[in-house]
Amino acid sequence: KNLNDLLDELGDVKIASIQLQDMDHYITKLLQHRSASGTNISMRHLKAAFNKAVKWNYIYRNPMQEIKPIPVEKRNDQELFLSLEQIDLFKKAIIGNPLESILHFYLQTGCRLNEAVLLMWEDVDFDNRTILFRAAVTKSREGRYFYFGKGGRLESLLEHQNPQPGRPVFPSTRNKDKPFSHFWVSTKARRIFDDIGLPWATVHTLRHTFATHLANSGMAMPVLSGILGHSDTKLTERYYIHRDRKISEDAITNLPY
C-alpha cells in the first residue's frame, strides 16, 4: 500500500530514478494529512522496500537512507480524546459539511479510517441491525460485527444515506459509485479540527473518543475490546486510564473524614 501511494504521487517512474528530493517532497505531502507517527510508519515500510531493492541490485543506493524520522511530540492525556464540550463544538462545526455523515459514523462506531471509507451497503444489515467490517479492511485482518440499536442515532444516520446495493455507504461527492478517498477524509478532518482550535486531533481521535467515553460509562473491557476489533485486551486498557483516574479523584474528594 505504501508503495502504491508513492507511485500515485510520482507517477510511472523507474525505481532507479527516484531521488532523495523526490522522497523529501513526498514525505512533506504525507504530513499534510497524516500524523508524524503515521508518517514514520510509512517511511519505515518504504525504507525497507528500498533496502530490498538494493539487495536485489535494482538500485545502488536507498533514496531514503539520509531521511530521519519525524519528531513526535508527546501529547497530554486530555489530547487523547474529545471531551463532551469538544464533541459538541465538533458537531456544530461539521453541519452541512460533505463529511458530516461519515464523521458522525466515526464518533458512533469507533471504527478506523478505512473501515468506514470502504464500507459497502452489502455489509449493513438493517433487519439484524449489524455492520460487518470485513477482514480485508480491518487492521487485524479479522472481520467483526458491530451491533446497533433499533431507533438509535446510528440507524437513523445509515437510513438517511440512501442505501443502494453495490455502492459505498459513504460515496464520493463526485462519483456515487466510488468511496471517499481516505486521504481526502483525513485532510479535511484535520482542517476542521484546526479551525475549532483542536490541531492535535485527527479522525483516529474520534475512535479514542468513542472508546474512552464507553469505558467511562462502565462498559466491561472484553466487550469494548471486541467492539473495537482489538486482538488483545491490553490494547484496550489505555481507555480505562481516564475512568480509573476519575474514580480515584472522586473517591479522594468524597472521603468521609
Side-chain angles (χ1 to χ4, degrees):
K1 181 182 180 302
N2 290 288
L3 282 173
N4 287 336
D5 290 343
L6 176 61
L7 290 175
D8 287 342
E9 175 64 26
L10 298 183
D12 187 15
V13 298
K14 291 184 177 180
I15 190 171
S17 70
I18 299 174
Q19 303 296 317
L20 172 62
Q21 56 266 35
D22 296 321
M23 298 311 302
D24 269 333
H25 175 77
Y26 176 65
I27 290 165
T28 299
K29 194 162 186 178
L30 273 185
L31 283 168
Q32 295 175 6
H33 53 75
R34 287 190 190 177
S35 65
S37 58
T39 300
N40 284 337
I41 292 172
S42 294
M43 288 169 58
R44 287 198 297 271
H45 290 165
L46 288 170
K47 185 173 286 189
F50 282 121
N51 280 337
K52 186 68 72 173
V54 171
K55 184 177 180 180
W56 289 343
N57 295 320
Y58 289 130
I59 56 178
Y60 294 106
R61 190 170 185 274
N62 189 329
M64 296 192 65
Q65 195 63 46
E66 298 179 11
I67 297 178
K68 305 296 183 184
I70 308 299
V72 178
E73 294 183 10
K74 289 187 177 181
R75 298 179 298 181
N76 296 325
D77 283 350
Q78 66 200 42
E79 295 177 344
L80 294 175
F81 67 99
L82 304 183
S83 67
L84 294 178
E85 292 78 13
Q86 290 168 333
I87 292 173
D88 187 54
L89 183 66
F90 175 69
K91 285 182 175 180
K92 290 177 181 176
I94 62 176
I95 293 175
N97 191 290
L99 294 179
E100 181 177 4
S101 293
I102 194 170
L103 292 175
H104 273 290
F105 187 80
Y106 288 122
L107 262 180
Q108 294 178 33
T109 63
C111 71
R112 300 179 179 92
L113 178 62
N114 267 352
E115 290 174 347
V117 168
L118 300 178
L119 186 68
M120 303 294 289
W121 280 116
E122 287 74 12
D123 303 323
V124 180
D125 184 341
F126 284 101
D127 292 332
N128 293 306
R129 296 191 296 280
T130 61
I131 298 168
L132 172 60
F133 294 120
R134 295 187 178 274
V137 299
T138 63
K139 187 176 180 180
S140 64
R141 297 303 182 210
E142 293 182 3
R144 73 180 187 282
Y145 283 98
F146 183 97
Y147 303 94
F148 57 91
K150 186 174 180 59
R153 283 175 292 182
L154 182 55
E155 184 178 44
S156 176
L157 183 155
L158 290 169
E159 288 174 343
H160 280 85
Q161 283 301 108
N162 189 24
Q164 295 186 46
R167 287 186 168 180
V169 175
F170 301 102
S172 165
T173 53
R174 295 183 178 181
N175 185 343
K176 298 299 181 183
D177 291 322
K178 300 289 185 181
F180 281 125
S181 158
H182 68 282
F183 286 124
W184 192 75
V185 172
S186 180
T187 301
K188 293 293 183 181
R190 275 186 171 274
R191 289 179 183 173
I192 293 169
F193 284 123
D194 282 341
D195 289 343
I196 60 176
L198 303 173
W200 47 267
T202 66
V203 168
H204 202 70
T205 304
L206 302 179
R207 177 172 166 85
H208 288 298
T209 299
F210 170 85
T212 301
H213 286 288
L214 279 182
N216 287 346
S217 72
M219 177 173 281
M221 189 182 300
V223 177
L224 180 55
S225 185
I227 291 174
L228 295 173
H230 284 163
S231 57
D232 191 329
T233 55
K234 289 182 179 179
L235 297 172
T236 317
E237 288 177 357
R238 57 185 154 170
Y239 301 116
Y240 286 79
I241 294 172
H242 310 289
R243 183 195 67 165
D244 294 342
R245 175 175 175 174
K246 185 178 185 305
I247 291 173
S248 297
E249 289 176 349
D250 289 347
I252 292 170
T253 301
N254 298 312
L255 275 171
Y257 57 84

